[in-house]
Amino acid sequence: MSTAKSARAKAVKPGADPNRLVVFDTTLRDGEQSPGATMNQEEKIQVARALYRLKVDVIEAGFPIASPGDHDAVKAIAEDLDEKDAPIICGLARSLEKDIRSAASAVKNARRPRIHVFLATSAIHRQFKLKKAKDEIVKQAVEAVTFARSLVEDIEFSPEDASRTEPEFLCEVTEAVIAAGASTVNIPDTVGYAIPDQFGSVIRTLKEKVPNIEDAVISVHCHNDLGLAVANSLAGVRNGARQVECTINGIGERAGNAALEELVMALRTRHDFFPYVTGIDSRRILPTSKLVSNITGIHVQRNKAVVGENAFAHESGIHQDGVLKERTTYEIMRPEDVGVEKSMLVLGKHSGKHAFKNRLKDLGYDLEEKPLVDAFEKFKTLCDKKKTIYDADLIALVEDQLVSSAPVWELELLQVASGNKAVPTATVILRREKAVYQDAATGDGPIDALTKAIDRITGVSGKILDYQVRAVSEGREAQGEVDIKCDFDGEVLYGRGFSTDIIEASAKAYLNAVCRACAKGDTAVKKTERPGHVAPKPVGATP
Ligand code: KIV
Ligand code: ZN
């Protein structure tokens, strides 16, 4: 490897504040190595801008030698982020001259360029991948750093598979690359094999045993194969690392990298335990997460820490009651601190009346105790039919109750038979005060049959002028809303019914209109009673 400038220029000094952590984001490099996460140049620029707004310290923008497209994207990002406070833009390179030249040319126009050089150091990689002895590895690493340092001032070196490298050899390589000019030494747990205590002790060993360690920042780069990437990174920080490498949503090679949002919020939420600060604007976390997820097409799991849809959602009644009384009973972070508007009390079968009442209030319904209890009962019944209760369901439920708060007739039972070869038949049981009435009818279709059966009981007949059905919530188990416009002998009245079954919603809507007609007193009822209609005899009574 040739050297363009004298190799031993002074290393870039670590930051002044010993408790300030450098957040190195590698979403555009390691993150982009996630299967299926490839981004085009314009998308990479969008992500880089979002990372700038999030205030990361370093953006690893790509691996320039990988392809001309990668090179150009890194270059474009380096040139696009030209603000005074723009982050360091870093390009990755193997310990090869052509890689380093490519990385240098890609980042050279950045306000603050960095080259990240790596070379594997573990016995497994030395023997099987590189087929090199220890002294050859040290030599190649030193030459690479020296050469990179002749092109760009800020050099990071990674001994790949560091966590499986013999500790003495790791110390030897680290000392050598710092002496050659690396100002950051990144310790990767490349295969996600480390355990927090062990990984922490790797960092402690470097701190204690490498004589020139204070000339460089120790960085950690953990993969999540055992789900320990964030825990290992934090263990590294506790033991002296001052740069954390991470990705948005934890995307990355295989099971991914340490998730930036989890690291940042763990550090912030447990500042009592981790007395370190980052420069991250945490309120930008959720928008950045959404952008990366939309661009890469890698969906964030619902229960993902910090940015998952359920991260601030509470369903159990006990939890909801607690959160309503005092948020911190069940919430350790404020949703607004990560860009979530507010915590969500998800109403479901585990919810209590307190949360139900509150949500109705938010929706503009302030119910007295009795209607509230009635609505809550209906809500619980609905929960058995539907997995997710949307606000629209609640509105439907309360509206249903409000319009039928003084019903003359109530639907007790509806049984409808229909089919392409069947005569549509409806059997209906209605309740009026304590008496129940039953009748059946056939019709052109199920709705015709059920309205006729209702007419036979009530003796009130409306002509349907308009019939509309729509879903008021999403999904297969959505609530249906039926709106009916009926002519009761010149008097046009409306009815509305809700149910997860649209036939039932239709019966309720029609009956609702009939009840309105009845409530109008003599006029509509008398006019519409069919001549010769015999008042029905009750078939039973409800207690
Ligand atoms: O996981 C790893 O070892 C890497 C290096 C290139 C730092 O991504
Ligand atoms: Zn990696």
Side-chain angles (χ1 to χ4, degrees):
M1 226 172 273
S2 61
T3 30
K5 256 197 231 165
S6 140
R8 300 287 299 269
K10 194 121 181 62
V12 172
K13 278 268 174 232
D17 178 354
N19 285 348
R20 169 69 158 78
L21 297 185
V22 175
V23 175
F24 176 114
D25 182 279
T26 182
T27 304
L28 291 168
R29 198 279 296 169
D30 219 329
E32 211 223 3
Q33 285 173 221
S34 302
T38 312
M39 299 172 237
N40 65 34
Q41 183 170 310
E42 188 41 46
E43 290 169 334
K44 286 181 183 176
I45 289 176
Q46 291 303 321
V47 172
R49 286 186 189 155
L51 294 172
Y52 163 62
R53 288 195 290 275
L54 183 64
K55 295 194 166 45
V56 305
D57 302 291
V58 185
I59 295 178
E60 185 164 51
F63 189 7
I65 195 74
S67 74
D70 275 42
H71 175 276
D72 294 350
V74 175
K75 189 167 184 297
I77 291 167
E79 287 164 8
D80 185 73
L81 293 181
D82 63 350
E83 291 84 354
K84 269 208 181 100
D85 59 345
I88 293 170
I89 304 298
C90 176
L92 183 69
R94 288 169 298 181
S95 291
L96 300 173
E97 184 173 330
K98 62 175 178 171
D99 283 40
I100 295 167
R101 281 197 191 283
S102 172
S105 103
V107 298
K108 70 169 189 278
N109 293 333
R111 266 189 186 268
R112 294 186 293 154
R114 174 182 292 188
I115 301 178
H116 176 187
V117 182
F118 74 99
L119 182 62
T121 50
S122 67
I124 300 175
H125 283 237
R126 289 192 318 259
Q127 185 184 345
F128 298 106
K129 190 177 88 176
L130 302 172
K131 302 191 194 320
K132 285 199 166 149
K134 284 182 178 170
D135 55 342
E136 292 175 283
I137 297 287
V138 176
K139 184 167 176 284
Q140 187 177 343
V142 166
E143 279 178 7
V145 170
T146 305
F147 178 58
R149 187 65 203 275
S150 71
L151 302 176
V152 167
E153 205 187 344
D154 182 356
I155 305 302
E156 169 167 334
F157 178 81
S158 287
E160 193 191 4
D161 205 16
S163 57
R164 292 195 297 172
T165 299
E166 306 89 316
E168 316 72 55
F169 185 53
L170 190 61
C171 288
E172 185 186 336
V173 175
T174 302
E175 184 181 351
V177 294
I178 294 173
S183 47
T184 302
V185 178
N186 178 45
I187 305 303
D189 179 25
T190 302
V191 289
Y193 180 75
I195 301 296
D197 276 356
Q198 175 224 337
F199 193 67
S201 85
V202 172
I203 305 301
R204 200 168 49 246
T205 303
L206 292 172
K207 272 293 259 187
E208 287 170 1
K209 301 242 165 95
V210 175
N212 55 358
I213 197 71
E214 298 305 327
D215 290 341
V217 172
I218 303 180
S219 169
V220 286
H221 174 114
C222 297
H223 278 268
N224 207 28
D225 299 65
L226 294 175
L228 292 171
V230 171
N232 284 332
S233 305
L234 292 172
V237 169
R238 291 272 291 170
N239 285 280
R242 290 296 175 269
Q243 173 175 289
V244 282
E245 300 203 355
C246 45
T247 59
I248 302 295
N249 301 336
I251 64 171
E253 193 73 58
R254 304 181 312 281
N257 290 57
L260 178 147
E261 62 277 8
E262 294 176 22
L263 274 171
V264 167
M265 291 316 288
L267 289 163
R268 190 171 161 154
T269 308
R270 295 306 311 273
H271 190 69
D272 57 325
F273 197 73
F274 300 106
Y276 315 107
V277 289
T278 71
I280 295 293
D281 176 357
S282 65
R283 286 160 309 171
R284 299 294 315 161
I285 284 179
L286 188 69
T288 315
S289 157
K290 286 193 164 156
L291 178 82
V292 169
S293 166
N294 290 340
I295 285 183
T296 58
I298 299 180
H299 193 72
V300 172
Q301 80 201 46
R302 266 177 172 270
N303 61 332
K304 163 86 177 60
V306 183
V307 291
E309 233 174 283
N310 289 356
F312 293 93
H314 309 269
E315 189 187 316
S316 109
I318 296 168
H319 289 207
Q320 292 182 340
D321 188 52
V323 168
L324 287 166
K325 286 178 176 145
E326 167 54 44
R327 186 193 57 81
T328 54
T329 51
Y330 288 100
E331 255 178 19
I332 58 165
M333 294 171 263
R334 294 190 318 165
E336 55 272 33
D337 286 346
V338 300
V340 174
E341 260 172 32
K342 63 186 214 169
S343 35
M344 208 172 62
L345 301 188
V346 177
L347 291 181
K349 68 175 175 188
H350 303 114
S351 304
K353 206 169 81 198
H354 188 175
F356 179 71
K357 182 177 179 182
N358 260 278
R359 177 61 66 81
L360 289 186
K361 255 195 181 161
D362 283 350
L363 295 170
Y365 298 94
D366 198 354
L367 301 188
E368 299 289 335
E369 188 58 17
K370 168 81 175 89
L372 178 72
V373 170
D374 290 350
F376 187 61
E377 247 172 56
K378 289 184 181 155
F379 159 73
K380 287 282 176 173
T381 310
L382 183 64
C383 289
D384 284 335
K385 295 188 192 170
K386 288 193 84 215
K387 262 195 248 123
T388 315
I389 306 291
Y390 299 93
D391 282 349
D393 290 314
L394 296 181
I395 294 169
L397 188 143
V398 177
E399 282 286 327
D400 192 18
Q401 175 163 313
L402 292 180
V403 291
S404 61
S405 54
V408 184
W409 295 99
E410 281 184 88
L411 184 66
E412 276 287 310
L413 175 142
L414 172 69
Q415 212 170 52
V416 176
S418 70
N420 64 344
K421 296 261 165 62
V423 178
T425 310
T427 303
V428 171
I429 297 183
L430 299 184
R431 177 157 49 91
R432 183 172 186 161
E433 290 166 357
K434 289 198 166 170
V436 289
Y437 305 83
Q438 176 176 336
D439 216 325
T442 58
D444 293 341
I447 309 298
D448 189 42
L450 73 87
T451 57
K452 280 183 175 149
I454 290 174
D455 290 350
R456 288 169 69 97
I457 298 174
T458 62
V460 178
S461 176
K463 183 171 172 232
I464 296 180
L465 302 176
D466 190 28
Y467 170 92
Q468 292 198 26
V469 59
R470 66 189 177 94
V472 288
S473 54
E474 299 156 30
R476 278 168 155 252
E477 358 99 295
Q479 282 254 86
E481 175 185 323
V482 172
D483 287 293
I484 274 179
K485 187 175 165 189
C486 281
D487 179 355
F488 293 91
D489 206 12
E491 185 118 28
V492 174
L493 295 170
Y494 292 84
R496 178 181 286 176
F498 300 92
S499 170
T500 47
D501 175 337
I502 58 160
I503 303 290
E504 186 186 343
S506 305
K508 284 180 167 178
Y510 181 69
L511 196 59
N512 181 228
V514 167
C515 289
R516 284 171 194 229
C518 294
K520 289 231 163 212
D522 286 348
T523 46
V525 179
K526 275 204 181 117
K527 274 195 259 167
T528 52
E529 268 185 5
R530 293 187 310 279
H533 174 257
V534 182
K537 282 201 176 58
V539 293
T542 49

